[in-house]
Amino acid sequence: MQEYTFASNEQASEYKRLCLVQDSFDEKSKKHLLKAGLKSGMACLEVGLGAGSLASWMKDEVGREGSVLGVDLTIAYAGKEIEYELLEGNILELDITKRFDLIHLRYTLVHNTKSKAIIQKLYTLLKPGGKLVLEEPDFTLAKWMDAKDLQACKRVNSAICKMFEGKGLRPYYGSTAQLELIDAGFTIEESKSYLHLCSGDEAVAKVMAYSAEALSDAYLATGVCSHDDIEAYIQACKDPDSLGVYYATVAHLAVKDAVLVTEEVKTNTRIEREEGIFRIEEEAEISTCFSLMRQLRPHLEVEDFTQQVLAQIKEGYTLFGMIKESQTVVLCGCRISTNLAWGRHLYIDDLVSSESERSLGYGREMMAYLIRFAKEKGCGQIHLDSSVQRFQAHKFYLREDFKIASHHFSQKL
């Protein structure tokens, strides 16, 4: 993970900037969290804690029966008299075993080149049906309408974007975050954007003036603006007669689809759930799939199966299960990938229907789901390999309009 954008800011100055941010945006964030269903008894995670005001408010909302964990690269700004839990470090490296009902991030991923990996981890940290509220900026939408030195302010806007790009970041991240959320498996319930159009000396303008002071060296390093430009920009941010769109914030409300478990292996206790096709990724849920997967992969050993699937999930593997009458009747393991031969495509690693439930249309139903899934992910093709002796499988794939497009060669090493 690269250095945080404001890491070089002196501690007292950074604390003041964080307080300005929370004073400017907390009320809007609270509305998003309440709309997401924040209530008493929930377990919540705040990533990018900042000065901690939002985490404190969330703890008040969830009450004694609930919990809030605040995570940040540094927790120095959170204060001492707090009632929520604190954890310092990189979210990708922290070993967090707890699962959450609601996770919130604000202006965090725009600073991180590993935003996709972070979103994927947040997906695993949510309980099935849990929600993620993500608020991120798009600085490319900034536009000055009135300022004493309009061109200088425009050059600073360009420098802000150039600074992010120079760090391998996307100044427009808020507008594209939805794609990473969908790739991770989230369903988007709502995405809203709002422009911060205001006069100088208003809350957002103050935040941007303070940011310009803290990041002046980074802006200058882009070569897009000068010292005088930055001074003119700061003055415009303080001038009540100026007017500009400082940037836009895009707020996403995403939900982790509920995963159904039909049987718990250790206790053999059946859990009745509604029917459907669901992503399977929790350790206990994966272990219930072993007997069905072994019908396709007879070499598998129960001791290694779950950990192997978990390892593959980290590498982009997705395991889907179909539930019918409280039984898992179809499993499909697949990956989204891109190569020169096929472009962006869905590759099916494993597809198996229960021997006792075949010829009931379940395989066709799963294939229709996979086609929709692939299209939603921007794939242009679906590919798979099928062993030469699996004649019944070949008939199924041909009926589903697959073509025998190539020979597959292999060699044991």
Side-chain angles (χ1 to χ4, degrees), residues 294-307:
R294 200 175 190 189
Q295 292 181 25
L296 176 66
R297 309 294 185 205
H299 65 280
L300 293 176
E301 298 294 337
V302 65
E303 295 83 5
D304 304 322
F305 172 70
T306 301
Q307 293 307 312

Side-chain angles (χ1 to χ4, degrees), residues 1 82 186 260 315 364 409:
M1 183 182 294
I82 57 174
F186 283 101
L260 302 188
E315 297 174 355
R364 171 167 288 187
F409 295 91

Side-chain angles (χ1 to χ4, degrees), residues 321-344:
M322 178 186 289
I323 311 299
K324 296 289 184 182
E325 297 181 352
S326 300
Q327 298 289 334
T328 304
V329 295
V330 183
L331 288 173
C332 177
C334 56
R335 296 170 281 138
I336 290 176
S337 186
T338 303
N339 62 24
L340 293 175
W342 305 327
R344 185 171 173 84

Side-chain angles (χ1 to χ4, degrees), residues 81-142:
E81 296 182 6
I82 57 174
E83 296 185 7
Y84 56 88
E85 301 172 66
L86 282 174
L87 198 56
E88 185 173 80
N90 180 343
I91 186 68
L92 289 175
E93 298 171 358
L94 293 173
D95 184 15
I96 302 173
T97 57
K98 190 172 184 177
R99 294 297 178 262
F100 302 92
D101 300 293
L102 183 60
I103 298 176
H104 176 251
L105 298 87
R106 182 178 67 194
Y107 303 164
T108 300
L109 299 185
V110 70
H111 299 290
N112 205 296
T113 56
K114 296 184 178 179
S115 58
K116 186 174 183 178
I118 292 174
I119 286 178
Q120 289 172 339
K121 179 163 185 177
L122 297 180
Y123 187 91
T124 66
L125 291 177
L126 276 171
K127 299 176 183 178
K131 294 186 177 182
L132 171 68
V133 176
L134 180 66
E135 300 175 82
E136 293 290 344
D138 185 338
F139 290 104
T140 65
L141 298 177

